[in-house]
């Protein structure tokens, strides 16, 4: 990764911020995929449960809006993940 050596400090910080943001998006996408079934027409869930899951899924989609990315934080669990419905 020779190109990293040529980056300024600010460019490297932005590179790291974008990498952490990608990691957050990857986890978010995996969590969304895990609960896709909850919104299917033939889902066994009640309408109220489907609404709970829809709210959770929207919160997952919104997680990157205004998120403060700490480039030193490699633990994705420190971000404000919404609570999964039961």
């Amino acid at each position: 990764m020779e190109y990293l050596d040529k980056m300024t400090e600010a460019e490297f910080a932005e590179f790291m911020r974008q990498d952490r943001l990608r990691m957050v998006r990857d986890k978010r996408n995996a969590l969304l995929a895990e609960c896709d079934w909850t919104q299917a027409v033939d889902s066994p869930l009640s309408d109220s449960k489907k609404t709970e899951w829809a709210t959770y899924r929207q919160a997952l989609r919104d997680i990157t809006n205004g998120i403060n990315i700490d480039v030193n934080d490699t633990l994705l669990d420190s971000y404000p993940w919404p609570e999964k419905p039961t």
Side-chain angles (χ1 to χ4, degrees):
M1 296 187 174
E2 189 176 307
Y3 63 92
L4 292 177
D5 296 335
K6 297 178 182 179
M7 289 183 177
T8 66
E9 192 173 317
E11 289 171 334
F12 184 71
E14 179 59 18
F15 172 82
M16 293 302 292
R17 192 183 78 74
Q18 289 297 323
D19 187 56
R20 295 297 184 271
L21 190 55
R22 179 197 52 79
M23 292 169 58
V24 169
R25 286 183 179 129
D26 287 348
K27 179 174 178 173
R28 180 225 25 222
N29 292 345
L31 291 171
L32 282 168
E34 286 177 6
C35 62
D36 280 347
W37 66 272
T38 65
Q39 301 307 296
V41 176
D42 62 349
S43 169
L45 298 175
S46 67
D47 288 344
S48 62
K49 280 294 179 185
K50 278 188 180 182
T51 299
E52 285 181 40
W53 280 98
T55 301
Y56 166 74
R57 291 169 57 81
Q58 186 59 56
L60 285 173
R61 287 186 200 93
D62 292 342
I63 197 164
T64 56
N65 296 344
I67 193 171
N68 183 21
I69 298 293
D70 180 354
V71 297
N72 297 311
D73 186 2
T74 58
L75 300 174
L76 292 177
D77 292 336
S78 65
Y79 293 101
W81 297 100
E83 191 170 326
K84 192 181 290 190
T86 56

